[in-house]
Amino acid sequence: MTSVEEPARPGERIRDAARTRAEILDVATQEFARAGYDGARVDEIAARTRTTKRMIYYYFGGKEQLFTAVLERAYGVIREAEQQLDVDHLDPVAAIRRLAELTFDHHEQHPDFIRLVSIENIHEAHHIAASEKLGKIGSPALDVIRRILASGQESGLFTADVDAVDLHAMISSFCFFRVANRHTFGALFGRDLLDRAQRAHYRAMLGDMVIAYLTAERTPH
């Protein structure tokens, strides 16, 4: 009796395609983070996956579109974490500290994200500007910050003229610098910003810095 392989069902084909895309994005993330946009090779990405260069082009269209997809997924991870953050039950000081800690933890746990953002800055945000998805994704963190600031201002804890985007930049810059500049900072000052023994210190320092900014008396300009 001759056995005939049963053709894949539509649902299975969709799941297989999703797995293949995810695998390509996983490997592409590592390759772009390692070699940069110009140095990364689609051939190398294909060789490290269970697919072919032809299939990568089929799924994504080309190297540029693949890098854009990598960025979209990387930003999507932090945006999803921000959306799931529940701080409504906390007082404004604890809430803003929790948001800062979320960014601190995420950037530390996703060094490839830091490298990808650095690479995209070298390319002057060309891929982000061209991405319709990234153009709409915004930052849920800004909505959270605005709610916390409003609550803190109403209670008299926070200064009234603090801007949510400025505060987001303040939090992100410390968290980003700590990962992106680890090696140069260590070489210059002999201190590893990712030293596990100092992690709690830096995490608390970020929160203290943010709270000090929010509660400081402002001198009229």
Side-chain angles (χ1 to χ4, degrees):
M1 181 176 178
T2 304
S3 62
V4 178
E5 185 177 347
E6 183 180 347
R9 299 173 182 175
E12 292 173 345
R13 289 197 296 269
I14 292 172
R15 286 193 294 273
D16 287 342
R19 282 195 295 267
T20 300
R21 283 178 58 90
E23 182 185 14
I24 293 169
L25 287 172
D26 286 342
V27 174
T29 295
Q30 298 168 7
E31 182 64 13
F32 282 122
R34 181 192 68 80
Y37 177 76
D38 292 330
R41 296 288 179 265
V42 176
D43 286 327
E44 177 65 21
I45 295 169
R48 293 174 54 196
T49 61
R50 291 172 294 178
T51 187
T52 63
K53 181 177 179 180
R54 175 175 169 272
M55 288 304 295
I56 292 177
Y57 282 114
Y58 171 78
Y59 281 117
F60 296 97
K63 178 180 176 181
E64 186 167 357
Q65 294 93 327
L66 177 59
F67 184 63
T68 299
V70 165
L71 287 173
E72 289 172 347
R73 191 177 70 159
Y75 274 100
V77 171
I78 181 62
R79 296 300 175 254
E80 182 178 357
E82 291 168 352
Q83 287 177 323
Q84 294 177 353
L85 183 65
D86 180 15
V87 294
D88 291 338
H89 63 290
L90 300 175
D91 67 81
V93 170
I96 206 71
R97 187 182 289 274
R98 180 68 193 93
L99 177 64
E101 291 170 348
L102 170 72
T103 307
F104 183 97
D105 294 343
H106 174 272
H107 285 18
E108 179 183 81
Q109 294 163 8
H110 297 84
D112 281 353
F113 172 72
I114 304 300
R115 297 188 188 100
L116 290 169
V117 174
S118 298
I119 292 164
E120 180 64 353
N121 272 287
I122 291 172
H123 291 272
E124 300 181 347
H126 167 77
H127 303 89
I128 290 178
S131 168
E132 184 176 339
K133 184 175 181 179
L134 284 171
K136 294 178 179 179
I137 199 171
S139 176
L142 291 180
D143 295 330
V144 176
I145 290 173
R146 290 187 182 106
R147 292 201 308 270
I148 298 172
L149 287 177
S151 176
Q153 289 159 2
E154 289 173 7
S155 65
L157 288 171
F158 294 165
T159 307
D161 63 350
V162 174
D163 178 75
V165 176
D166 286 347
L167 189 62
H168 183 63
M170 180 182 183
I171 294 170
S172 297
S173 60
F174 179 86
C175 299
F176 194 95
F177 181 95
R178 179 170 169 263
V179 180
N181 291 49
R182 174 189 187 182
H183 299 294
T184 52
F185 193 88
L188 291 169
F189 301 105
R191 183 168 298 179
D192 183 1
L193 295 175
L194 294 186
D195 182 356
R196 299 300 297 177
Q198 295 298 315
R199 183 180 189 275
H201 163 71
Y202 287 125
R203 200 168 183 259
M205 188 175 81
L206 169 63
D208 293 344
M209 178 174 65
V210 172
I211 299 304
Y213 173 69
L214 290 174
T215 58
E217 292 187 11
R218 293 289 188 271
T219 302
H221 296 293

